[in-house]
Amino acid sequence: VLVYDEERVISTQVESALRGALRVLWTPDVADVVGMVASGRAAILVCGLRSGDHQTFELIRALRRRQPQLVVLVYSEQRDSTALANLINQGQIFRFIHRPAGPDYLRRHILAGLLRHRELLTHPDRLACHAPRWDSGGELEMAYASLDDARRAAATTAAAAPPPSLAKRGWLQR
């Protein structure tokens, strides 16, 4: 379980709810999230979301587009129905969990997410119906796509240079 949020509070709540059943990683950095998901270190992504947080929405959409087996749960106090509809329809999130949630409730949703991840791995034909729409203007999606293309090219050549660093991308500096 990878927790992405500026503050460690959500990670602490997730760790407490899971009681050691799953490994929980936390990062406040977008590049770390992309790297961990691309390397396959995360089956579930729990995102904190604040009002007007377009970067997190774009991140979710880009990650789900490139890693459709990734299960995304959004854990937020936000009540904006339009943002929630966009997360569900365009970002293809698995669940929206309203904060604060009790540990048993949070645990049930994360374990359900793990079952969903396993289902998507064992039935790859189901991945296509859960793919988010491509946003050709999304800087994060283009950066993620170029990183993915660079990794594939590096895998085909023995002495290929490492992929470009995401830290140099303009969308990270904003």
Side-chain angles (χ1 to χ4, degrees):
V1 178
L2 175 59
V3 178
Y4 169 64
D5 194 52
E6 293 174 1
E7 301 171 8
R8 196 169 172 93
V9 174
I10 293 177
S11 177
T12 304
Q13 291 174 352
V14 168
E15 287 172 348
S16 174
L18 292 174
R19 299 179 290 246
L22 297 171
R23 184 172 174 213
V24 178
L25 304 170
W26 168 77
T27 184
D29 185 41
V30 174
D32 287 345
V33 172
V34 172
M36 286 186 218
V37 170
S39 68
R41 292 182 59 198
I44 299 171
L45 175 64
V46 178
C47 288
L49 187 67
R50 286 160 183 69
S51 182
D53 190 357
H54 183 72
Q55 181 177 347
T56 301
F57 174 72
E58 190 178 337
L59 172 70
I60 291 169
R61 191 172 47 202
L63 291 174
R64 288 279 298 126
R65 180 134 176 84
R66 290 296 180 168
Q67 302 288 336
Q69 72 280 3
L70 178 70
V71 175
V72 179
L73 292 91
V74 174
Y75 188 45
S76 175
E77 295 172 340
Q78 187 171 338
R79 292 184 179 263
D80 181 3
S81 60
T82 303
L84 181 57
N86 286 335
L87 284 166
I88 293 169
N89 296 327
Q90 294 178 20
Q92 291 292 310
I93 65 168
F94 178 66
R95 300 270 166 91
F96 179 86
I97 306 167
H98 191 265
R99 277 179 73 181
D104 291 335
Y105 185 76
L106 191 56
R107 179 183 173 90
R108 275 196 313 268
H109 283 294
I110 292 171
L111 293 179
L114 184 61
L115 289 175
R116 179 67 177 161
H117 175 73
R118 288 179 181 161
E119 175 189 347
L120 292 173
L121 289 177
T122 57
H123 301 289
D125 55 313
R126 296 180 186 171
L127 292 173
C129 65
H130 296 287
R133 288 185 286 179
W134 172 258
D135 179 8
S136 61
E139 290 182 49
L140 182 58
E141 289 194 43
M142 292 187 308
Y144 196 93
S146 67
L147 174 67
D148 196 37
D149 293 342
R151 285 191 177 161
R152 263 191 259 122
T156 59
T157 60
S165 170
L166 285 176
K168 295 180 183 174
R169 302 277 181 199
W171 54 266
L172 273 178
Q173 295 172 357
R174 277 190 239 142

